[in-house]
């Protein structure tokens, strides 16, 4: 234990690498050996640098700085964005420095990380930024050499005069090029000419991460900064009273203050704050007479599915008539629990409220929301709030909100000092904004020829908004279809959770389609291809997905996995379109000592042009492990408004030894990138569940799988 008390982030990485299948966390209670984060500057690189546009600058000493505007939470955008700029610039990547841009809505119009939309939104903008600077450098070189631009080319950060062989570095041209009028129209490269895009480039923050350099919000330190932790009320409760006398006596505690329903302990460091927090005596009282529990939610789902008034989201043909005339009807219900986002780095943020403005530093997926909510709270112009972005230690949608930012702002104003608020892991799990709990009822009508002639989906979500995706497959392929959604408003807060709604809906839809295929006596892959053929030849209503792209990933994964051609393994299939991209998967299960084990999962992905193969591969693998782990193990339950699970000892995540082999493949179709942060997660649960069914004969309709009656008697196989 003594070693852990003195560890820092660099040593933690070493510990984590030797932890095997378990979860071992190292904490640094003392601040003496922890690197501190200062304002992000690099004076040597930026000295005399000339800005060609908001995305890049070039200094006379030939250093190129490319700014990445979007928050980096592990989706590799801080590497991929600069690669695109550098490609069109024809830069020498070894001389490129990447820096995180501050929030600036005038320069960048979408500084958001969410919805897998950063790459589709920025692809052309980034290319134009690099191509524009390249054009200006060429014009400057043509003038200096007194030659036509047609005689010049660029390569590795140099302008080359083809006939004489003369070369001028971008740095030598920087001052002259900066005076060239910015061209309105520039020519972009053809994909066949790419030199950087499509190559494997290491994460630009790798060295800093591996050596424990300050990158994250938890690393932020400012002279005179106070630390704070907050005790928040259970869901449905409000603060009645607090006795903080004992807590205030702990050395290192500056004050205990209340605001709204929160009790904040403010001190010099986190360790005395955590000690003082345990000494608080807080009384709460219900906001109303309904404190929700999981048993209540389970009954609620059943009642609303039977009697609730659903909002019709899509209606094609006459579904009721199709079911009346059906030769066979298949009907099933699927349910998922609330889930915590559980990023490795819990919520935290630094705020300094001054008379002349507000300084914000920390990990947020929506820096403009952090700024706007701060300005609204304080009643000041948005222009008086600056937001500096750190790298995010995970987010998965949790950091789309700004509640943890506003807490730091409120405390900074109350304490008249800079304050960093830090959530503990228990705060994060018990007081977070969860993945909504949802229950679905699916029905399919088959005619005498085993054609699906009717399809119904009715969903009930708790604070889920529209819990369906009414335009996703198989919509458009069924003559008679009805999709309805019901929302129940709860005091338990919810939020976008990686691949919102589709993170569970995909599992439910793809598992149900396997049930329908089995009832029809058809191979699951052939059944889906048959539906796609019908949507292609005789579309019903609007088609909001690309039939050919979906067919492409299905055929690719079937080929790579040897679908239906292997003995000794049970294969499960799933395919899904979400966030503009398409992913098909085949999971393989075998029996080990009488229990099923997921041995391998194949994935075929169509996300358009792959900017960085290494990053893309990691995104797919990470999404699949995330999808499998939460489908298999993870659960959030509540008793009287209080979360039953409080830390990783009871909130079960997948372990390293439970992770199957993963084989990834990408469709090379040359279209513009369509996003990859989320699409690999949704189909994983369905592929795994369908493989487990083939192996065991047990249909899994609720998550987490390991807590279902169908799974009892089985022990999850150890792949180690």
């Amino acid at each position: 234990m003594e070693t852990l008390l003195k560890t820092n982030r660099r040593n933690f990485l070493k510990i984590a690498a030797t932890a095997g299948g378990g979860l071992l966390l190292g904490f640094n209670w003392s601040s003496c050996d922890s690197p501190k984060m200062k304002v992000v500057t690099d004076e040597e690189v930026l000295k005399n640098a000339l800005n060609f546009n908001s995305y890049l600058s070039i200094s006379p000493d030939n250093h190129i700085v490319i700014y990445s505007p979007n928050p980096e939470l592990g989706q590799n955008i801080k590497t991929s964005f600069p690669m695109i700029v550098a490609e069109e610039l024809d830069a020498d990547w070894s001389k490129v420095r990447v820096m995180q841009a501050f929030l600036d809505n005038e320069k960048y119009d979408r500084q958001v990380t969410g919805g897998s939309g950063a790459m589709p939104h920025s692809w052309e903008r980034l290319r134009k930024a690099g191509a524009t600077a390249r054009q200006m450098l060429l014009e400057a070189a043509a003038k200096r050499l007194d030659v036509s631009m047609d005689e010049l080319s660029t390569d590795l950060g140099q302008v080359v005069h083809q006939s004489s062989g003369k070369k001028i570095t971008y740095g030598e041209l920087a001052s002259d090029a900066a005076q060239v009028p910015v061209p309105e129209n520039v020519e972009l490269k053809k994909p066949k000419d790419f030199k950087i895009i499509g190559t494997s480039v290491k994460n630009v923050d790798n060295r800093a991460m591996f050596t424990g350099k300050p990158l994250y919000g938890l690393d932020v330190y400012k002279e005179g900064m106070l630390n704070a932790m907050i005790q928040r009320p259970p869901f449905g409760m409000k603060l009645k009273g607090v006795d903080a006398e004992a807590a205030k006596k702990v050395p290192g505690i500056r004050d205990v203050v209340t605001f709204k329903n929160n009790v904040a302990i403010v001190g010099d460091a986190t360790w005395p704050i955590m000690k003082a927090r345990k000494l608080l005596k807080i009384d709460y009282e219900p906001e109303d007479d309904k404190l929700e529990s999981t048993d209540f939610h389970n009954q609620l789902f059943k009642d609303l599915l039977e009697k609730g008034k659903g909002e019709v989201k899509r209606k094609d043909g006459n579904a009721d008539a199709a079911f009346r005339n059906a030769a066979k009807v298949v009907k099933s219900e699927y349910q998922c629990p609330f889930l915590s986002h559980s990023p490795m780095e819990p919520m935290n943020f630094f705020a300094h409220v001054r008379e002349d403005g507000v300084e914000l530093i920390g990990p947020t997926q929506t820096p403009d929301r952090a700024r706007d909510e701060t300005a609204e709270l304080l009643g000041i112009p948005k222009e008086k709030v600056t937001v500096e972005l750190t790298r995010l230690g995970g987010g998965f949608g949790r950091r789309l909100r700004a509640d943890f930012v506003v807490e730091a702002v409120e405390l900074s104003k109350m304490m008249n000092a800079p304050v960093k608020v830090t959530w503990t892991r228990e705060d994060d799990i018990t007081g977070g904004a969860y993945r909504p709990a949802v229950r679905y009822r699916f029905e399919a009508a088959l005619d005498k020829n085993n054609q699906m002639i009717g399809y119904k989906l009715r969903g009930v979500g708790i604070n889920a908004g529209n819990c369906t995706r009414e335009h996703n497959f198989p919509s458009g392929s069924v003559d008679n279809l009805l999709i309805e959604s019901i929302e129940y408003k709860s005091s338990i807060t919810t939020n976008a959770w990686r691949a919102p709604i589709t993170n569970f809906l995909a599992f439910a839809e793809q598992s149900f389609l396997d049930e329908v295929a089995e009832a029809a006596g058809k191979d699951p892959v052939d059944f889906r291809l048959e539906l796609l053929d019908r949507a292609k030849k005789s579309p019903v209503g609007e088609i909001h997905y690309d039939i050919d792209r979906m067919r492409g990933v299905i055929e690719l994964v079937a080929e790579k996995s040897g679908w239906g051609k292997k003995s000794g393994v049970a294969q499960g299939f799933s395919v899904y379109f979400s966030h503009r991209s398409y992913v098909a998967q085949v999971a393989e299960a075998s029996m080990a000592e009488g229990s099923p084990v997921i041995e391998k999962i194949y994935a075929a992905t169509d996300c358009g042009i792959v900017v960085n193969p290494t990053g893309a591969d990691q995104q797919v693998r990470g999404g699949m492990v995330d999808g499998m782990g939460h489908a298999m193990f993870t659960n959030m339950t509540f008793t009287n408004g209080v979360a039953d699970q409080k830390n990783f000892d009871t909130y079960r995540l997948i372990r390293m030894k439970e992770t199957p082999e993963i084989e990834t493949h990408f469709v090379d179709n040359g279209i513009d990138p369509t996003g990859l942060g989320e699409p690999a997660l949704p189909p994983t649960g369905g592929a795994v569940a369908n493989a487990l069914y083939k192996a065991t004969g047990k249909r899994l309709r609720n998550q987490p799988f390991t807590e279902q009656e169908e799974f009892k008697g089985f022990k999850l196989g150890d792949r180690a």
Side-chain angles (χ1 to χ4, degrees), residues 352-593:
H352 189 185
V353 179
R354 308 182 306 266
E355 287 188 9
D356 61 337
V358 181
E359 178 185 18
L360 300 178
I361 309 175
T364 171
Q365 291 177 242
T366 52
D368 54 346
R369 176 176 289 180
R371 177 203 58 199
D372 293 353
E373 292 194 17
T374 295
E376 182 179 358
L377 173 72
L378 300 176
I380 61 176
K382 293 187 292 186
E383 293 72 24
K384 288 197 171 185
V385 182
T386 63
V387 184
E388 180 181 341
L389 301 175
T390 64
R391 190 179 178 94
L392 286 66
F396 312 112
R398 177 62 183 89
R399 287 186 162 98
L400 291 170
R401 294 169 61 119
D403 52 319
F404 51 96
V405 180
V406 172
E407 288 176 345
V409 173
E410 290 190 276
L411 285 175
S412 176
K413 183 180 181 182
M414 293 174 70
M415 300 301 298
N416 194 27
V419 172
K420 183 169 75 171
V421 168
T422 302
W423 292 41
T424 64
R425 177 59 59 193
E426 288 82 0
D427 292 336
D428 189 65
I429 291 180
T430 63
Y434 304 108
R435 190 272 298 273
V438 180
R439 188 174 182 90
Y440 296 111
R441 175 181 293 166
F442 293 90
E443 298 175 72
L446 300 175
D447 65 12
K448 62 181 180 180
N449 297 317
N450 285 317
Q451 297 290 313
M452 187 162 71
I453 58 172
Y455 181 88
K456 289 183 180 180
L457 166 59
R458 184 175 172 87
V460 177
I462 299 177
N463 287 349
N466 174 19
C467 64
T468 71
R469 290 295 179 265
E470 61 273 13
H471 298 308
N472 279 10
F473 180 79
S475 295
S477 68
V478 186
D479 291 335
N480 306 287
L481 175 142
L482 178 64
I483 296 180
E484 299 175 291
S485 178
I486 302 171
E487 182 181 26
Y488 174 79
K489 295 290 187 179
S490 168
S491 60
I492 296 175
T493 54
T494 60
N495 198 53
W497 190 95
R498 191 175 187 179
I501 300 301
T502 60
N503 54 61
F504 177 75
L505 178 60
F507 149 71
E509 286 180 343
Q510 291 297 304
S511 296
F512 180 68
L513 286 177
D514 258 37
E515 292 195 56
V516 180
E518 183 178 49
K522 298 178 180 180
D523 175 84
V525 171
D526 291 342
F527 178 63
R528 289 167 175 83
L529 290 175
E530 176 187 303
L531 290 173
L532 286 174
D533 285 342
R534 289 165 60 183
K536 184 85 169 180
K537 296 173 183 176
S538 303
V540 182
E542 297 179 353
I543 303 288
H544 288 247
Y545 51 91
D546 189 310
I547 295 169
D548 294 331
R549 292 180 70 190
M550 182 172 280
R551 172 179 279 278
V553 293
I554 292 175
E555 292 176 342
L556 180 59
V557 82
E559 173 198 341
K560 297 299 183 181
S561 67
W563 174 261
K565 299 176 181 178
K566 294 182 176 178
S567 59
V569 294
Q571 292 183 313
F573 175 79
S574 179
V575 62
Y576 215 70
F577 157 65
S578 65
H579 299 86
R580 309 172 191 84
S581 294
Y582 299 77
V583 182
Q585 297 178 15
V586 171
E588 294 182 341
S590 62
M591 299 299 290
E593 299 181 357

Side-chain angles (χ1 to χ4, degrees), residues 591-596 696 698 705-706 708-716:
M591 299 299 290
E593 299 181 357
S595 292
T696 67
K698 304 289 186 181
F705 299 159
T706 51
Q708 302 312 307
E709 188 67 33
E710 295 87 350
F711 214 90
K712 289 185 178 177
F714 293 127
K715 179 182 178 183
L716 185 68

Side-chain angles (χ1 to χ4, degrees), residues 159-417:
V159 176
V160 181
H161 185 231
Q162 297 164 1
S163 59
S164 68
K166 290 182 179 179
K167 298 179 180 180
I168 311 176
T169 67
Y170 286 175
E172 293 173 308
L173 291 168
S175 297
D176 291 346
Q179 306 304 315
V180 172
V182 178
E184 294 185 5
N185 297 303
V186 292
E187 184 176 349
L188 302 179
K189 285 186 178 181
K190 292 179 172 56
K192 66 180 180 62
D193 297 324
F194 288 162
K195 300 173 184 176
I196 297 176
I197 292 174
T199 65
S200 292
V201 174
K202 294 179 181 179
N203 190 308
V204 295
D205 283 337
N206 271 358
R207 179 176 294 276
M209 287 190 285
F210 296 159
T211 56
K213 300 297 183 184
L215 285 172
Y216 299 91
L218 288 176
D219 297 326
V220 171
Y221 174 79
K222 288 278 190 174
E223 196 68 36
M225 180 185 81
L226 299 177
N227 287 275
M229 289 184 174
I230 299 171
Q231 185 66 50
R232 302 165 188 86
F235 297 107
M237 302 288 279
K238 62 182 179 180
L239 183 65
K240 184 178 181 180
V242 57
D243 180 353
E245 290 306 311
K248 290 180 179 180
K249 294 178 182 178
V250 174
I253 298 302
R254 297 291 189 95
D255 204 353
V256 177
V257 298
T258 62
F259 63 101
K260 297 178 180 174
N261 279 322
N262 301 318
V263 180
I265 309 96
V266 184
D268 298 323
T270 55
W271 179 235
I273 291 173
M274 294 175 75
K275 291 173 61 178
R277 186 177 182 178
K278 295 178 180 179
L279 300 175
L280 291 174
K281 297 178 181 178
I282 304 176
D283 290 327
Y284 295 106
E285 59 184 356
E287 291 184 314
D288 52 43
D289 59 357
K290 182 176 63 178
L291 293 177
E292 295 178 14
S293 298
T294 298
D295 289 343
F296 166 76
H297 295 148
N298 290 337
Q299 187 61 49
L300 175 79
F301 283 137
K302 294 178 181 178
D303 292 343
L304 289 178
L305 275 179
E306 288 294 336
K307 305 171 186 177
K309 184 178 180 181
E311 179 185 356
V312 175
K313 308 303 293 187
R314 178 162 177 159
K315 184 177 182 180
D316 296 328
N318 190 331
D320 290 338
F323 276 84
R324 285 196 299 269
N325 298 323
K328 188 182 298 182
V329 171
V330 184
K331 181 177 178 180
S332 291
E333 293 185 8
Y334 291 78
Q335 184 170 318
C336 70
F338 290 100
L339 290 181
S340 167
H341 294 76
S342 299
M344 183 58 70
E345 178 191 24
M347 302 303 104
N348 65 89
F349 225 82
F350 169 89
H352 189 185
V353 179
R354 308 182 306 266
E355 287 188 9
D356 61 337
V358 181
E359 178 185 18
L360 300 178
I361 309 175
T364 171
Q365 291 177 242
T366 52
D368 54 346
R369 176 176 289 180
R371 177 203 58 199
D372 293 353
E373 292 194 17
T374 295
E376 182 179 358
L377 173 72
L378 300 176
I380 61 176
K382 293 187 292 186
E383 293 72 24
K384 288 197 171 185
V385 182
T386 63
V387 184
E388 180 181 341
L389 301 175
T390 64
R391 190 179 178 94
L392 286 66
F396 312 112
R398 177 62 183 89
R399 287 186 162 98
L400 291 170
R401 294 169 61 119
D403 52 319
F404 51 96
V405 180
V406 172
E407 288 176 345
V409 173
E410 290 190 276
L411 285 175
S412 176
K413 183 180 181 182
M414 293 174 70
M415 300 301 298
N416 194 27

Side-chain angles (χ1 to χ4, degrees), residues 530-674:
E530 176 187 303
L531 290 173
L532 286 174
D533 285 342
R534 289 165 60 183
K536 184 85 169 180
K537 296 173 183 176
S538 303
V540 182
E542 297 179 353
I543 303 288
H544 288 247
Y545 51 91
D546 189 310
I547 295 169
D548 294 331
R549 292 180 70 190
M550 182 172 280
R551 172 179 279 278
V553 293
I554 292 175
E555 292 176 342
L556 180 59
V557 82
E559 173 198 341
K560 297 299 183 181
S561 67
W563 174 261
K565 299 176 181 178
K566 294 182 176 178
S567 59
V569 294
Q571 292 183 313
F573 175 79
S574 179
V575 62
Y576 215 70
F577 157 65
S578 65
H579 299 86
R580 309 172 191 84
S581 294
Y582 299 77
V583 182
Q585 297 178 15
V586 171
E588 294 182 341
S590 62
M591 299 299 290
E593 299 181 357
S595 292
V597 180
I598 299 297
E599 297 284 359
K600 186 172 183 175
I601 309 179
Y602 298 82
T605 301
D606 180 350
C607 60
I609 292 172
V610 175
V611 175
N612 186 349
T614 298
D617 179 69
Q618 293 168 350
Q619 283 298 294
V620 171
R621 291 172 184 271
M624 292 169 69
V625 172
D626 201 6
M628 176 179 170
H630 283 91
M632 292 285 286
F633 306 111
T634 315
N635 194 10
M636 283 291 304
T637 58
F638 294 85
T639 301
N640 293 327
V642 177
D644 299 319
Q645 294 75 23
K646 295 177 171 56
N647 209 318
F648 289 140
D649 57 338
T650 51
Y651 188 71
R652 173 80 154 84
L653 299 177
I654 192 170
R655 299 186 173 101
M656 291 182 185
K657 65 181 181 181
E658 294 160 348
T659 302
E661 180 184 352
I662 293 173
E663 183 175 310
T664 64
H665 300 274
F666 293 85
V667 174
D668 182 9
N669 55 18
I671 68 173
D672 290 354
T674 53

